[in-house]
Amino acid sequence: MNTRSKRQKQESQSPVETLRIDRTTYNQDEFAMRCGIPRATYQRWIAGKAEARLTLGQLKSLCRELGIIKVEDLPDGFGIQTGSSQNE
């Protein structure tokens, strides 16, 4: 779909937003809803304006949607990464 190709061109400094774009076909609204996270909250997380504090259910849903099996595969932060703290 055309919207998918548009989203693939998006660049984000947020590790979770990058994973959403790379691993799902969902837009931000769909992804947040499927994870049980209010859209505005998700947008604050990826903008680095708020620290992510997920419930266990939200964390499980987020991992399921992103295809993450091991907790070690989760990014260290949900917000914007600074150059010195990026881990790959």
Side-chain angles (χ1 to χ4, degrees):
M1 183 177 253
N2 194 12
T3 54
R4 174 71 176 158
S5 61
K6 286 180 185 176
R7 280 190 295 134
Q8 285 179 331
K9 294 178 184 176
Q10 293 175 349
E11 291 185 21
S12 176
Q13 294 178 317
S14 167
V16 170
E17 181 67 354
T18 299
L19 286 171
R20 178 194 63 84
I21 293 167
D22 290 346
R23 295 184 178 195
T24 76
T25 59
Y26 305 125
N27 62 35
Q28 287 181 354
D29 292 345
E30 293 166 331
F31 182 73
M33 183 184 72
R34 292 181 68 90
C35 295
I37 302 164
R39 178 183 50 111
T41 299
Y42 178 77
Q43 290 175 334
R44 283 192 299 273
W45 291 349
I46 63 173
K49 295 180 179 178
E51 184 177 336
R53 296 181 184 190
L54 289 89
T55 66
L56 184 55
Q58 290 170 328
L59 181 60
K60 286 180 175 182
S61 294
L62 185 130
C63 288
R64 182 182 60 248
E65 297 301 330
L66 295 176
I68 294 174
I69 298 170
K70 297 179 187 176
V71 76
E72 294 86 17
D73 294 336
L74 284 169
D76 289 335
F78 283 25
I80 295 174
Q81 293 271 334
T82 59
S84 61
S85 66
Q86 283 183 324
N87 293 331
E88 302 246 1

